[in-house]
Coordinates of all heavy atoms in Angstrom, one line a residue:
V4 N 129.5 14.5 142.8 CA 129.0 15.7 143.3 C 127.6 15.9 142.8 O 127.3 15.7 141.6 CB 129.9 16.9 142.7 CG1 129.3 18.2 143.0 CG2 131.4 16.8 143.2
R5 N 126.8 16.3 143.7 CA 125.3 16.4 143.4 C 125.1 17.9 143.2 O 125.6 18.8 143.8 CB 124.5 16.1 144.6 CG 123.7 14.9 144.5 CD 123.0 14.5 145.7 NE 122.3 15.6 146.4 CZ 121.4 15.5 147.1 NH1 121.0 14.3 147.5 NH2 120.8 16.6 147.7
S6 N 124.2 18.0 142.2 CA 123.7 19.5 141.9 C 122.9 19.9 143.1 O 122.2 19.3 143.8 CB 122.8 19.5 140.7 OG 122.1 20.7 140.6
S7 N 123.0 21.3 143.3 CA 122.3 21.9 144.4 C 120.8 21.8 144.1 O 120.0 22.1 145.0 CB 122.7 23.3 144.7 OG 122.4 24.1 143.5
A8 N 120.4 21.6 142.9 CA 118.9 21.5 142.5 C 118.4 20.1 142.3 O 117.7 19.9 141.4 CB 118.7 22.5 141.4
A9 N 119.0 19.1 143.1 CA 118.6 17.7 142.9 C 117.1 17.5 143.1 O 116.6 18.3 143.9 CB 119.5 16.9 143.8
S10 N 116.5 16.6 142.4 CA 115.0 16.5 142.5 C 114.6 16.1 143.9 O 113.4 16.4 144.2 CB 114.6 15.4 141.5 OG 115.2 14.2 141.9
D11 N 115.4 15.5 144.8 CA 115.0 15.2 146.1 C 114.7 16.3 146.9 O 113.9 16.4 147.8 CB 115.9 14.1 146.8 CG 117.3 14.8 146.9 OD1 117.8 15.5 146.0 OD2 118.0 14.4 148.0
V12 N 115.3 17.5 146.5 CA 115.1 18.8 147.3 C 113.6 19.1 147.0 O 113.0 19.6 148.0 CB 116.1 19.8 146.8 CG1 115.7 21.2 147.3 CG2 117.5 19.5 147.1
Y13 N 113.2 19.1 145.8 CA 111.9 19.5 145.4 C 110.8 18.5 146.1 O 109.8 18.9 146.6 CB 111.6 19.4 144.0 CG 112.3 20.5 143.3 CD1 113.3 20.3 142.4 CD2 112.2 21.9 143.6 CE1 114.1 21.2 141.8 CE2 112.9 22.9 143.0 CZ 113.8 22.6 142.0 OH 114.6 23.5 141.4
K14 N 111.2 17.2 146.1 CA 110.3 16.2 146.7 C 110.2 16.5 148.3 O 109.1 16.4 148.8 CB 110.7 14.8 146.4 CG 110.7 14.5 145.0 CD 111.2 13.0 144.7 CE 111.2 12.7 143.2 NZ 111.8 11.4 143.0
R15 N 111.3 16.8 148.8 CA 111.3 17.0 150.3 C 110.5 18.2 150.7 O 109.7 18.2 151.7 CB 112.8 17.2 150.8 CG 112.9 16.9 152.2 CD 114.5 16.7 152.7 NE 115.4 17.5 152.0 CZ 116.3 17.2 151.1 NH1 116.3 16.0 150.7 NH2 117.2 18.0 150.6
Q16 N 110.6 19.2 149.9 CA 109.9 20.6 150.2 C 108.4 20.3 150.0 O 107.6 20.8 150.8 CB 110.5 21.7 149.4 CG 111.9 22.1 149.7 CD 112.0 22.3 151.2 OE1 111.1 23.0 151.9 NE2 113.1 21.7 151.8
A17 N 108.1 19.5 149.0 CA 106.7 19.2 148.8 C 106.1 18.5 149.9 O 105.0 18.7 150.4 CB 106.4 18.5 147.4
Q18 N 106.8 17.5 150.5 CA 106.4 16.7 151.5 C 106.3 17.6 152.8 O 105.3 17.5 153.5 CB 107.5 15.6 151.8 CG 107.0 14.7 153.0 CD 108.1 13.7 153.3 OE1 109.2 13.7 152.7 NE2 107.8 12.5 153.8
R19 N 107.2 18.6 153.0 CA 107.1 19.4 154.2 C 105.8 20.3 154.1 O 105.2 20.7 155.1 CB 108.3 20.4 154.2 CG 109.5 19.6 154.6 CD 110.7 20.5 154.7 NE 110.8 21.2 155.9 CZ 111.6 22.2 156.1 NH1 112.5 22.5 155.3 NH2 111.5 22.9 157.3
L20 N 105.3 20.5 152.8 CA 104.2 21.4 152.7 C 102.9 20.5 152.6 O 101.8 21.0 152.5 CB 104.2 22.2 151.3 CG 105.2 23.3 151.3 CD1 105.4 23.7 149.9 CD2 104.9 24.5 152.2
C21 N 103.0 19.2 152.8 CA 102.0 18.2 152.8 C 101.2 18.2 151.4 O 100.0 18.1 151.4 CB 101.1 18.5 153.9 SG 101.8 18.2 155.6
V22 N 102.0 18.3 150.3 CA 101.5 18.2 149.0 C 102.2 17.3 148.1 O 103.4 17.1 148.4 CB 101.4 19.6 148.3 CG1 100.4 20.5 149.1 CG2 102.8 20.1 148.2
A23 N 101.6 16.7 147.1 CA 102.3 15.9 146.3 C 103.2 16.6 145.2 O 102.7 17.7 144.9 CB 101.5 14.9 145.6
P24 N 104.3 16.3 144.9 CA 105.2 17.0 143.8 C 104.3 17.2 142.6 O 104.4 18.2 141.9 CB 106.3 16.2 143.6 CG 106.6 15.3 144.8 CD 105.1 15.1 145.3
E25 N 103.5 16.2 142.2 CA 102.6 16.3 141.0 C 101.6 17.5 141.0 O 101.0 17.7 140.1 CB 101.9 15.0 140.9 CG 102.9 13.8 140.6 CD 103.2 13.2 142.0 OE1 102.7 13.5 143.0 OE2 104.3 12.5 141.9
T26 N 101.5 18.1 142.2 CA 100.5 19.3 142.2 C 101.3 20.6 142.3 O 100.7 21.6 142.4 CB 99.7 19.2 143.6 OG1 100.5 19.3 144.7 CG2 98.9 17.9 143.6
C27 N 102.7 20.5 142.2 CA 103.5 21.7 142.3 C 103.7 22.4 141.0 O 103.9 21.7 140.1 CB 104.7 21.4 143.0 SG 104.5 20.8 144.8
V28 N 103.8 23.7 141.1 CA 104.4 24.5 140.0 C 105.8 25.0 140.5 O 105.9 25.6 141.5 CB 103.6 25.7 139.6 CG1 104.1 26.5 138.4 CG2 102.1 25.1 139.1
I29 N 106.8 24.6 139.7 CA 108.1 25.0 140.1 C 108.7 26.1 139.2 O 108.6 25.9 137.9 CB 109.1 23.9 140.2 CG1 108.5 22.8 141.3 CG2 110.5 24.2 140.5 CD1 109.3 21.5 141.4
F30 N 109.2 27.1 139.7 CA 109.9 28.2 138.8 C 111.5 28.0 138.9 O 111.9 27.9 140.0 CB 109.5 29.5 139.4 CG 108.0 29.8 139.2 CD1 107.1 29.3 140.1 CD2 107.5 30.5 138.2 CE1 105.7 29.6 140.1 CE2 106.2 30.7 138.0 CZ 105.2 30.3 139.0
E31 N 112.0 27.9 137.8 CA 113.5 27.7 137.7 C 114.0 28.6 136.7 O 113.4 28.9 135.6 CB 113.9 26.3 137.5 CG 114.1 25.4 138.7 CD 115.4 25.9 139.5 OE1 116.2 26.7 138.9 OE2 115.5 25.4 140.6
D32 N 115.3 29.0 136.8 CA 116.2 29.8 135.8 C 117.3 29.0 135.3 O 117.9 29.5 134.4 CB 116.4 31.2 136.3 CG 117.4 31.1 137.5 OD1 117.7 30.0 138.0 OD2 117.8 32.1 138.0
S33 N 117.6 27.8 135.7 CA 118.8 27.2 135.4 C 118.5 25.8 134.6 O 117.4 25.2 135.0 CB 119.8 26.9 136.5 OG 119.3 25.9 137.3
G34 N 119.2 25.4 133.9 CA 119.0 24.0 133.2 C 119.0 22.9 134.1 O 118.1 22.1 134.1
A35 N 119.9 22.9 135.1 CA 120.0 21.9 136.1 C 118.7 21.9 136.9 O 118.1 20.8 137.3 CB 121.2 22.0 137.0
G36 N 118.3 23.1 137.3 CA 117.1 23.2 138.1 C 115.8 22.7 137.4 O 115.0 22.1 138.1
I37 N 115.8 23.1 136.1 CA 114.6 22.7 135.3 C 114.6 21.2 135.2 O 113.5 20.5 135.4 CB 114.6 23.3 133.9 CG1 114.3 24.8 134.1 CG2 113.7 22.6 133.0 CD1 114.6 25.6 132.9
E38 N 115.7 20.5 134.9 CA 115.8 19.1 134.8 C 115.5 18.4 136.1 O 114.7 17.4 136.2 CB 117.2 18.7 134.5 CG 117.3 17.1 134.2 CD 118.7 16.7 133.9 OE1 119.5 17.6 133.3 OE2 119.1 15.6 134.2
S39 N 115.8 19.0 137.2 CA 115.5 18.4 138.5 C 114.1 18.6 138.9 O 113.5 17.7 139.4 CB 116.4 19.2 139.7 OG 117.7 18.9 139.4
A40 N 113.4 19.7 138.6 CA 112.0 19.8 138.7 C 111.2 18.9 138.0 O 110.2 18.4 138.5 CB 111.7 21.3 138.5
Q41 N 111.6 18.6 136.8 CA 110.9 17.7 135.9 C 111.1 16.4 136.5 O 110.1 15.5 136.5 CB 111.5 17.7 134.5 CG 111.1 19.1 133.7 CD 111.9 19.2 132.5 OE1 113.1 18.8 132.4 NE2 111.3 20.1 131.5
R42 N 112.3 15.9 137.0 CA 112.5 14.6 137.6 C 111.7 14.4 138.8 O 111.4 13.3 139.1 CB 114.0 14.4 137.9 CG 114.8 14.0 136.5 CD 116.2 13.4 136.8 NE 116.8 13.9 138.1 CZ 117.7 14.9 138.1 NH1 118.1 15.4 136.9 NH2 118.2 15.3 139.1
A43 N 111.4 15.5 139.4 CA 110.7 15.5 140.8 C 109.2 15.1 140.5 O 108.4 14.8 141.4 CB 110.8 16.7 141.6
G44 N 108.8 15.4 139.2 CA 107.4 15.0 138.8 C 106.5 16.3 139.0 O 105.3 16.1 139.2
A45 N 107.1 17.6 138.9 CA 106.2 18.6 139.2 C 105.0 18.7 138.1 O 105.3 18.3 136.9 CB 107.1 20.1 139.1
K46 N 104.0 19.3 138.5 CA 102.8 19.5 137.6 C 103.3 20.4 136.4 O 103.0 20.0 135.3 CB 101.6 20.1 138.3 CG 100.5 20.3 137.5 CD 99.3 20.9 138.3 CE 98.1 21.2 137.4 NZ 97.0 21.7 138.1
K47 N 103.9 21.4 136.8 CA 104.3 22.3 135.8 C 105.7 22.9 136.2 O 106.0 23.1 137.4 CB 103.4 23.5 135.5 CG 102.1 23.1 134.9 CD 101.2 24.2 134.5 CE 100.1 23.7 133.9 NZ 99.1 24.9 133.4
V48 N 106.7 23.1 135.2 CA 107.9 23.7 135.3 C 107.9 25.0 134.5 O 107.7 24.9 133.3 CB 109.1 22.8 135.0 CG1 110.4 23.6 135.2 CG2 109.0 21.5 135.7
V49 N 108.1 26.1 135.3 CA 108.1 27.4 134.5 C 109.6 27.9 134.5 O 110.2 28.0 135.6 CB 107.2 28.4 135.2 CG1 107.2 29.8 134.5 CG2 105.8 27.9 135.4
G50 N 110.0 28.2 133.3 CA 111.4 28.8 133.2 C 111.3 30.3 133.3 O 110.5 31.1 132.8
I51 N 112.3 30.8 134.1 CA 112.5 32.2 134.3 C 113.6 32.7 133.5 O 114.8 32.2 133.6 CB 112.8 32.6 135.8 CG1 111.6 32.1 136.6 CG2 112.8 34.2 136.0 CD1 111.8 32.1 138.1
A52 N 113.4 33.6 132.5 CA 114.4 34.0 131.6 C 115.4 35.1 132.2 O 115.5 36.2 131.7 CB 113.8 34.6 130.3
S53 N 116.0 34.7 133.2 CA 117.0 35.6 133.8 C 118.4 35.1 133.4 O 119.3 36.1 133.4 CB 116.8 35.6 135.4 OG 117.0 34.3 135.9
M54 N 118.6 33.8 133.4 CA 120.0 33.4 132.9 C 120.1 32.9 131.6 O 121.2 32.8 131.0 CB 120.3 32.2 134.0 CG 120.5 32.7 135.4 SD 120.9 31.3 136.5 CE 122.4 30.7 135.9
K55 N 118.9 32.5 131.0 CA 118.9 31.9 129.6 C 117.8 32.6 128.9 O 116.9 33.1 129.4 CB 118.6 30.4 129.7 CG 119.7 29.7 130.4 CD 119.3 28.1 130.2 CE 120.3 27.2 130.8 NZ 121.6 27.2 130.0
K56 N 118.0 32.6 127.5 CA 117.0 33.2 126.7 C 115.7 32.3 126.6 O 115.9 31.2 126.8 CB 117.6 33.4 125.3 CG 118.7 34.4 125.2 CD 119.1 34.6 123.8 CE 120.3 35.6 123.9 NZ 120.9 36.0 122.6
P57 N 114.5 32.9 126.5 CA 113.4 32.1 126.4 C 113.4 30.9 125.5 O 112.9 29.9 125.8 CB 112.3 33.1 125.9 CG 112.7 34.4 126.4 CD 114.3 34.4 126.2
A58 N 114.0 31.1 124.2 CA 114.1 30.0 123.3 C 114.9 28.8 123.9 O 114.6 27.7 123.7 CB 114.7 30.4 122.1
E59 N 115.9 29.1 124.6 CA 116.8 28.1 125.3 C 116.0 27.4 126.4 O 116.1 26.1 126.5 CB 118.1 28.7 126.0 CG 119.1 29.3 125.0 CD 120.2 30.0 125.8 OE1 121.1 29.1 126.2 OE2 120.1 31.2 126.0
L60 N 115.2 28.0 127.1 CA 114.4 27.4 128.2 C 113.3 26.5 127.5 O 113.1 25.4 128.0 CB 113.7 28.5 129.0 CG 114.6 29.2 129.8 CD1 113.8 30.5 130.4 CD2 115.2 28.5 131.0
E61 N 112.8 26.9 126.4 CA 111.8 26.2 125.7 C 112.3 24.8 125.2 O 111.7 23.8 125.3 CB 111.1 26.9 124.6 CG 110.2 28.1 125.1 CD 109.8 29.1 124.0 OE1 110.2 28.9 122.9 OE2 109.1 29.9 124.4
T62 N 113.6 24.8 124.8 CA 114.3 23.6 124.4 C 114.4 22.6 125.4 O 114.6 21.5 125.3 CB 115.5 23.8 123.6 OG1 116.5 24.4 124.6 CG2 115.4 24.8 122.4
L63 N 114.5 23.1 126.8 CA 114.6 22.2 127.9 C 113.3 21.5 128.4 O 113.3 20.8 129.3 CB 115.2 23.1 129.1 CG 116.6 23.7 128.8 CD1 117.0 24.5 130.0 CD2 117.6 22.5 128.6
G64 N 112.2 22.0 127.7 CA 110.9 21.2 127.9 C 110.1 21.9 129.0 O 109.2 21.3 129.6
V65 N 110.3 23.2 129.3 CA 109.4 23.8 130.3 C 108.0 24.0 129.8 O 107.8 24.0 128.6 CB 110.0 25.3 130.7 CG1 111.4 25.1 131.4 CG2 110.2 26.2 129.5
D66 N 107.2 24.2 130.8 CA 105.7 24.3 130.3 C 105.4 25.8 129.9 O 104.5 26.0 129.1 CB 104.8 23.9 131.5 CG 105.0 22.5 131.8 OD1 104.5 21.7 131.0 OD2 105.5 22.2 132.9
A67 N 106.1 26.7 130.5 CA 106.0 28.1 130.1 C 107.2 28.8 130.4 O 108.1 28.3 131.1 CB 104.8 28.7 130.9
V68 N 107.4 30.1 129.8 CA 108.5 30.9 130.2 C 108.0 32.3 130.5 O 107.2 32.8 130.0 CB 109.5 31.1 128.9 CG1 110.6 32.0 129.2 CG2 110.0 29.7 128.5
I69 N 108.6 32.9 131.6 CA 108.3 34.3 132.1 C 109.7 35.0 132.1 O 110.6 34.3 132.3 CB 107.6 34.3 133.4 CG1 108.3 33.7 134.5 CG2 106.2 33.6 133.2 CD1 107.7 33.9 135.9
G70 N 109.5 36.3 132.0 CA 110.7 37.1 132.1 C 111.1 37.2 133.6 O 112.2 37.3 134.0
D71 N 110.0 37.5 134.4 CA 110.1 37.6 135.9 C 108.7 37.4 136.5 O 107.9 37.3 135.8 CB 110.9 38.9 136.2 CG 110.1 40.2 135.7 OD1 108.9 40.1 135.8 OD2 110.8 41.1 135.3
Y72 N 108.8 37.6 137.8 CA 107.5 37.4 138.5 C 106.5 38.5 138.3 O 105.4 38.4 138.9 CB 107.8 37.1 140.0 CG 108.5 35.9 140.3 CD1 109.9 35.9 140.7 CD2 107.9 34.6 140.2 CE1 110.6 34.7 140.9 CE2 108.6 33.5 140.3 CZ 109.9 33.6 140.8 OH 110.6 32.4 141.0
T73 N 106.8 39.6 137.8 CA 105.8 40.7 137.6 C 104.9 40.5 136.4 O 104.0 41.2 136.2 CB 106.6 42.0 137.3 OG1 107.4 41.8 136.1 CG2 107.5 42.3 138.6
D74 N 105.0 39.5 135.6 CA 104.3 39.1 134.5 C 103.0 38.4 135.0 O 102.8 37.2 134.7 CB 104.9 38.2 133.5 CG 104.3 38.2 132.1 OD1 103.1 38.7 132.0 OD2 104.8 37.7 131.1
L75 N 102.2 39.2 135.7 CA 101.0 38.5 136.5 C 99.9 37.9 135.5 O 99.3 36.8 135.8 CB 100.4 39.6 137.3 CG 101.2 40.1 138.4 CD1 100.4 41.2 139.2 CD2 101.6 39.0 139.3
G76 N 99.8 38.5 134.4 CA 98.8 38.0 133.4 C 99.3 36.6 133.0 O 98.4 35.6 132.9
K77 N 100.4 36.5 132.6 CA 101.0 35.1 132.1 C 101.0 34.1 133.3 O 100.6 33.0 133.1 CB 102.3 35.3 131.6 CG 102.8 34.2 130.7 CD 104.1 34.5 129.9 CE 104.3 33.4 129.0 NZ 105.5 33.8 128.1
L78 N 101.3 34.6 134.4 CA 101.3 33.7 135.7 C 100.0 33.2 136.0 O 99.8 32.0 136.3 CB 101.9 34.4 136.9 CG 103.4 34.6 137.0 CD1 103.8 35.4 138.1 CD2 104.1 33.3 137.0
A79 N 99.0 33.9 135.9 CA 97.6 33.5 136.1 C 97.2 32.4 135.2 O 96.6 31.5 135.6 CB 96.6 34.7 135.9
N80 N 97.5 32.5 133.9 CA 97.3 31.5 132.8 C 98.0 30.2 133.2 O 97.6 29.2 133.1 CB 97.7 32.0 131.5 CG 96.7 33.0 130.9 OD1 95.5 33.1 131.4 ND2 97.2 33.8 130.1
I81 N 99.3 30.4 133.6 CA 100.2 29.2 133.9 C 99.5 28.4 135.2 O 99.5 27.3 135.1 CB 101.6 29.7 134.2 CG1 102.2 30.2 133.0 CG2 102.3 28.4 134.9 CD1 103.6 31.0 133.2
L82 N 99.2 29.3 136.1 CA 98.6 28.6 137.5 C 97.1 28.3 137.2 O 96.6 27.7 138.2 CB 98.9 29.6 138.6 CG 100.3 30.1 138.8 CD1 100.4 31.0 139.8 CD2 101.3 28.8 139.2
E83 N 96.6 28.5 136.1 CA 95.1 28.2 135.9 C 94.3 28.9 137.0 O 93.4 28.2 137.5 CB 95.0 26.7 135.9 CG 95.8 26.2 134.7 CD 95.6 24.6 134.7 OE1 95.0 23.9 135.5 OE2 96.3 24.1 133.7
V84 N 94.5 30.2 137.3 CA 93.8 30.9 138.3 C 92.5 31.5 137.6 O 92.6 32.0 136.6 CB 94.7 32.0 139.0 CG1 93.8 32.7 139.9 CG2 95.8 31.3 139.6

């Protein structure tokens, strides 16, 4: 059984957008999704603390953790805008 967040999903979507996975920032809230994004070679993987606590997400190796998408200041730093 394959996880619904398998890394090929991210690679396929990057290809559809005509970008390399290495240039993508992927936002995920599950351990399986984070692992898949990392395996896809994403530039950055951002953990969303909706299902797990920030400390748990950090142990999974995310580049940053946000509570939700309204944290615009933190998102700007993550995206290097």
Side-chain angles (χ1 to χ4, degrees):
V4 176
R5 246 178 49 160
S6 168
S7 62
S10 63
D11 61 326
V12 171
Y13 294 117
K14 291 176 182 178
R15 200 167 42 251
Q16 293 308 314
Q18 183 179 22
R19 290 179 77 184
L20 293 168
C21 299
V22 298
E25 299 82 21
T26 65
C27 296
V28 176
I29 297 176
F30 295 83
E31 263 296 344
D32 63 354
S33 73
I37 289 167
E38 182 181 339
S39 296
Q41 291 166 333
R42 281 197 324 264
K46 178 179 180 178
K47 293 187 179 186
V48 179
V49 179
I51 304 170
S53 60
M54 295 177 62
K55 294 186 178 289
K56 294 181 181 185
E59 291 178 85
L60 294 169
E61 290 168 358
T62 64
L63 296 173
V65 296
D66 296 291
V68 176
I69 60 172
D71 57 39
Y72 293 108
T73 62
D74 195 350
L75 297 179
K77 197 167 191 177
L78 281 175
N80 290 335
I81 294 166
L82 299 174
E83 299 173 0
V84 177

